[in-house]
Amino acid sequence: MTERSEEFVRQTEPLRRELLAHCYRMLGSVDEAAELVQETYLRAWRSYGTFEGRSSLRTWLYRIATNACLSALEQRGRRVLPSGLGGPAEDPDAPPGPAASEVAWLGPVPDAAVTHEIPETADARDTRDPAALFAVRDSVRLALVAALQYLPGRQRAVLLLREVLGFSAGEVAAMFGVSTASVKSVLQRARARLDEVAPSPESVIEPTEPHARDLLRQYIAGFENADMAALEKALRADAAIELVGTRTWFRGRATCLRYLAQVIGSPGDWLMTPTRANGQPAAATYYRTAEGTHQALGVAVLSVTPTGITRITVFPGGPGLVARFGLPSSHPSRS
């Protein structure tokens, strides 16, 4: 590796995670985001010799990444969750609707891909900022990313660059080659639109907090032990379940429990591994096959509050999705 190559890697590699988070917020797909981060680094490498330092390297990379995202967004519509397509299903006893392959679905992002976790055993010499970690988690929560998809690409980009990433109006104006007044106008329209489509803010719990971990354990135990009472205790009265990949979702604890009763099976049918996605507690889900092994089905992401679980978003994807979380595609049967 040449000295120039080493310098490029040294200066740009520490920004990879935050660039992935930015592209994910823009696109709603971690796969697309990863591809565009790679494209960003390729474009940056090709132009690195002409980089004159008129802006910071971080600003320069964000300009490249944002423009790549805007180009990608021109090719398709917004990504959604089932609740963004219509009202809740009225009959939880009916089978979920067929997979809607024509819909571009919002996908989850593993926390580990976009944050530098601070170990619980970290001492006072650890220089990572907990506030910065919490800010990243907040900015990739499913409800916010889903709401961002309603904004036109330019509005989405300006809102994220200004209010999530903290770039000045002047810096954003330079990225897009427009006036500062234009950036302020776009930001104003983006805020107004987000207020229209974003759900009311809830008092969500950080996934590392004891109560959040307890709710996740209770949810997992409910499935693994086929314990409907445990699930009823964990869910809030206004809880919802979304089945990504279909247009089906349910609202209200009683309705959700009627649906869960159909899928919970017998003790041992389900196996779940705790993880984190979108700054929220999550569980990788496995179901017992006829051969007795547990095969990966997908990931369930929980929205948790001090009063219980308010939403369960179920993402299919099988072994491929579960592998993104660093987890195996199957588990042997338990004795």
Side-chain angles (χ1 to χ4, degrees):
M1 182 180 291
T2 66
E3 182 176 342
R4 176 168 168 265
S5 299
E6 291 176 350
E7 180 187 28
F8 177 80
V9 171
R10 184 174 62 253
Q11 294 197 46
T12 62
E13 198 59 30
L15 300 171
R16 185 177 290 272
R17 287 176 188 264
E18 62 175 276
L19 285 168
L20 179 64
H22 176 58
C23 292
Y24 171 74
R25 296 182 203 105
M26 286 287 296
L27 302 169
S29 163
V30 70
D31 290 323
E32 285 191 35
E35 289 178 6
L36 288 186
V37 169
Q38 285 297 102
E39 183 177 334
T40 295
Y41 275 74
L42 180 59
R43 291 184 186 183
W45 167 247
R46 288 172 175 169
S47 304
Y48 188 56
T50 61
F51 176 62
E52 298 177 350
R54 294 178 181 176
S55 64
S56 70
L57 184 70
R58 179 172 179 267
T59 301
W60 182 59
L61 285 174
Y62 269 99
R63 178 177 64 80
I64 297 172
T66 301
N67 284 325
C69 289
L70 291 174
S71 295
L73 288 173
E74 292 175 358
Q75 311 301 318
R76 62 163 176 77
R78 68 184 176 94
R79 289 188 174 273
V80 298
L81 294 173
S83 57
L85 296 174
E90 297 181 357
D91 183 7
D93 297 319
S101 58
E102 76 282 3
V103 177
W105 296 106
L106 186 71
V109 62
D111 274 21
V114 293
T115 64
H116 292 280
E117 291 291 339
I118 302 175
E120 295 181 6
T121 56
D123 60 26
R125 292 171 294 179
D126 196 308
T127 58
R128 289 168 289 186
D129 183 3
L133 175 59
F134 298 156
V136 172
R137 285 178 179 155
D138 282 341
S139 70
V140 295
R141 293 194 192 278
L142 283 174
L144 175 60
V145 177
L148 286 170
Q149 306 308 301
Y150 285 89
L151 303 183
R154 182 62 64 94
Q155 289 185 19
R156 199 182 307 177
V158 169
L159 181 77
L160 290 171
L161 291 168
R162 289 282 288 117
E163 300 204 336
V164 173
L165 294 162
F167 287 103
S168 70
E171 287 173 318
V172 176
M175 287 184 192
F176 292 128
V178 299
S179 67
T180 300
S182 175
V183 168
K184 292 179 179 179
S185 176
V186 171
L187 180 60
Q188 186 176 18
R189 294 197 300 273
R191 286 171 175 163
R193 179 61 176 147
L194 198 62
D195 286 342
E196 292 176 0
V197 300
S200 300
E202 293 191 271
S203 180
V204 296
I205 305 175
E206 280 292 313
T208 54
E209 291 187 16
H211 188 48
R213 293 199 296 265
D214 286 344
L215 284 170
L216 178 59
R217 281 195 293 267
Q218 195 168 342
Y219 173 80
I220 290 174
F223 265 90
E224 293 188 341
N225 301 324
D227 185 349
M228 290 298 298
L231 292 174
E232 181 176 7
K233 184 178 179 181
L235 295 180
R236 228 167 60 167
D238 60 350
I241 297 175
E242 302 207 48
L243 306 177
V244 179
T246 78
R247 296 175 180 268
T248 302
W249 68 287
F250 305 104
R251 181 165 57 197
R253 179 167 55 204
T255 304
C256 290
L257 289 172
R258 283 174 59 191
Y259 168 72
L260 292 174
Q262 298 178 50
V263 301
I264 198 167
S266 302
D269 282 349
W270 290 92
L271 187 152
M272 296 189 177
T273 301
T275 185
R276 295 177 197 165
N278 293 82
Q280 301 168 221
T285 61
Y286 299 79
Y287 194 74
R288 184 162 55 188
T289 66
E291 293 74 27
T293 62
H294 285 84
Q295 188 70 27
L297 291 185
V299 173
V301 182
L302 311 184
S303 298
V304 296
T305 71
T307 52
I309 298 171
T310 186
R311 187 169 297 262
I312 304 166
T313 308
V314 180
F315 293 94
L321 176 59
V322 170
R324 281 203 166 274
F325 290 79
L327 297 170
S329 61
S330 63
H331 286 281
S333 60
R334 291 177 172 175
S335 56

